[in-house]
Amino acid sequence: MELLDIFTRFVLPPILGGIGAFLTPWAKWYFDQKIETRSSREKRIEQWRTRLLSIENFKNQPSDAFPNGRVSRNGFLSDQFAIQKVMLLPEYAAIKPHLSPETNKYINNIIKSKVILIKVGGNIYTSRLRDLISADIARLERQWKLI
C-alpha cells in the first residue's frame, strides 16, 4: 500500500502535469485555427454580400461604357451586361470556385449568348444572376456553419 501511495503522490502528478503541459499548446493552436478560419469565412461572406450583391452593379450608371440601348426602362442593366461589371470585381474571383453548377452554367450561357435581352417596363428590379449568387452565398454560409 505504501508503494501505491508514493506513486500516486510523487510520481503520477509530475507525469500528468508534463503531458498536460505538452498537449496544451497543441490544443490552443487547434482552437485558434478554428476561430481564425471562422472569422475569415465570415469576413468573406460579408464582402461578397456587400460587393457582389450591391445594386450598383446592376444599375446603369452615367459613367458606364454601355450604350443606353442596353438597359431597361427602369435603369437597370440586363444580366448580360451586369455580369461584365460583376466579373471585374476581385470578390467574384474569390467566390467563383464556390459557385454552384447551376450558377456557373447560367453565367457561361450569358457570356456565350449572342442575343441581347432587354427588360421593358416595371419598377421592380429582378435579376436571375443576382438571385443565383445570393443563393450560393447563403448555401456557403450554411455549409460553413456560420448560421
Side-chain angles (χ1 to χ4, degrees), residues 56-57 59 64 77 81-89:
E56 299 303 316
N57 292 329
K59 272 187 168 179
D64 288 342
L77 295 167
F81 301 102
I83 191 63
Q84 293 175 14
K85 290 176 77 171
V86 170
M87 287 178 85
L88 293 176
L89 298 172

Side-chain angles (χ1 to χ4, degrees), residues 109-123:
N109 288 342
I110 289 174
I111 293 169
K112 293 175 185 175
S113 176
K114 303 256 191 256
V115 176
I116 297 174
L117 298 176
I118 300 175
K119 297 177 184 176
V120 179
N123 292 329

Side-chain angles (χ1 to χ4, degrees), residues 59-79:
K59 272 187 168 179
N60 187 35
Q61 303 292 327
S63 62
D64 288 342
F66 306 120
N68 290 334
R70 294 184 175 179
V71 296
S72 65
R73 283 188 190 173
N74 61 8
F76 290 98
L77 295 167
S78 63
D79 283 349

Side-chain angles (χ1 to χ4, degrees), residues 4-21:
L4 182 63
D5 187 42
I6 292 173
F7 181 76
T8 57
R9 281 184 162 178
F10 301 112
V11 176
L12 196 57
I15 291 173
L16 293 177
I19 292 172

